[in-house]
Amino acid sequence: MSALRRLRRHGVQAPDRWGGRGRGLACSGGGSTEPGVRWAAHLVGGPGMSDAPFVHPTAVVDDGAELGPRTKVWHFCHVMPGAVLGAGCNLGQNVFVSGTARLGKNVKVQNNVSIYDGVVCEDDVFLGPSCVFTNVSTPRSAVNRRGQYETTHVGRGATIGANATIVCGVSLGAYSFIAAGAVVTQDVRAHALMMGVPARQHGWTCHCGVTLRGDTGWEGLQCPECDARYEASDDGIRRVGSGGPSQ
């Protein structure tokens, strides 16, 4: 059964912005029920309802977007054609995902985040409320730079805090932690804790997100919460032994 039929079967209608009767949903690629309005319900997933993605009636998922199993798209989101979201992702209210954006598995996106062309997030990334991505270093309204979008790469398990800004063209290492309100202007090493404007490193973080304790020369770093231990690596630090949370 199609997404549209499932929603209609349960009596779901698109909200009426003009105060009249509710309007039925239209699948992507179909006609709008009102000029300038296109309600979409596009589900891609496993064979059973438990695996099927969820799209809120107020969200727009354009034809050609790919949603993995168990992904949830909440109120007033817009996912463009060509966007790919892995299994188990969650888009909070008012999230925009552009056509060449890529989200891995279990990416959690909080309210009011725009993920533009060129942004790639690996598995288990957390994007805090109202964090900001960009994709052009020198934007001008009168200059078309659509062919100059820069890639921003967010490594596995990384966290970007509320209202942080990630200037385009940088790479955030796996399990790095960008504090709320920070402005990142350069590459970030794996597990690095970044704070301030512009962001500077203020320590190291565990897989579980807690700040590590130990020698500033990277020797004997340990998590005070899960007891995971870390050692130096080429791009930051890496976990050693079997302690700590599973990856």
Side-chain angles (χ1 to χ4, degrees):
M1 183 182 295
S2 72
L4 175 61
R5 289 178 180 174
R6 278 199 294 270
L7 292 166
R8 283 179 172 165
R9 183 179 182 182
H10 293 285
V12 176
Q13 289 183 312
D16 185 356
R17 296 181 179 179
W18 298 273
R21 297 178 59 187
R23 295 166 171 78
L25 292 170
C27 287
S28 281
S32 297
T33 57
E34 194 75 21
V37 177
R38 191 181 188 196
W39 302 102
H42 179 62
L43 305 188
V44 180
M49 282 294 292
S50 61
D51 261 355
F54 167 81
V55 177
H56 191 271
T58 63
V60 177
V61 178
D62 288 330
D63 192 29
E66 296 184 22
L67 305 184
R70 302 176 303 283
T71 285
K72 293 179 173 61
V73 180
W74 290 98
H75 308 64
F76 310 115
C77 291
H78 185 190
V79 183
M80 295 280 288
V84 177
L85 284 66
C89 291
N90 190 87
L91 304 187
Q93 180 173 303
N94 194 36
V95 170
F96 170 75
V97 184
S98 197
T100 66
R102 297 292 181 264
L103 305 185
K105 299 177 182 177
N106 194 42
V107 174
K108 300 298 189 290
V109 185
Q110 304 303 296
N111 296 354
N112 306 314
V113 176
S114 293
I115 305 172
Y116 297 118
D117 285 322
V119 176
V120 177
C121 296
E122 294 189 8
D123 297 349
D124 302 323
V125 165
F126 179 90
L127 303 180
S130 301
C131 70
V132 177
F133 290 102
T134 63
N135 61 8
V136 175
S137 295
T138 55
R140 291 290 196 194
S141 176
V143 180
N144 186 340
R145 292 196 168 98
R146 288 184 179 274
Q148 301 174 31
Y149 292 152
E150 299 179 49
T151 299
T152 298
H153 184 270
V154 184
R156 180 181 180 184
T159 292
I160 300 176
N163 292 300
T165 297
I166 312 301
V167 176
C168 58
V170 304
S171 180
L172 308 185
Y175 301 100
S176 58
F177 199 108
I178 312 303
V183 177
V184 176
T185 60
Q186 58 189 353
D187 289 350
V188 174
R189 292 184 287 184
H191 292 273
L193 170 62
M194 306 294 290
M195 303 170 63
V197 181
R200 297 285 184 263
Q201 186 172 352
H202 287 262
W204 303 97
T205 55
C206 181
H207 280 68
C208 71
V210 174
T211 303
L212 297 173
R213 296 176 181 172
D215 187 276
T216 55
W218 307 354
E219 298 293 337
L221 286 168
Q222 184 172 9
C223 178
E225 182 168 305
C226 69
D227 295 327
R229 293 181 178 275
Y230 294 82
E231 65 180 10
S233 68
D234 291 339
D235 62 346
I237 60 173
R238 61 170 174 261
R239 194 171 67 182
V240 295
S242 57
S246 59
Q247 296 189 36

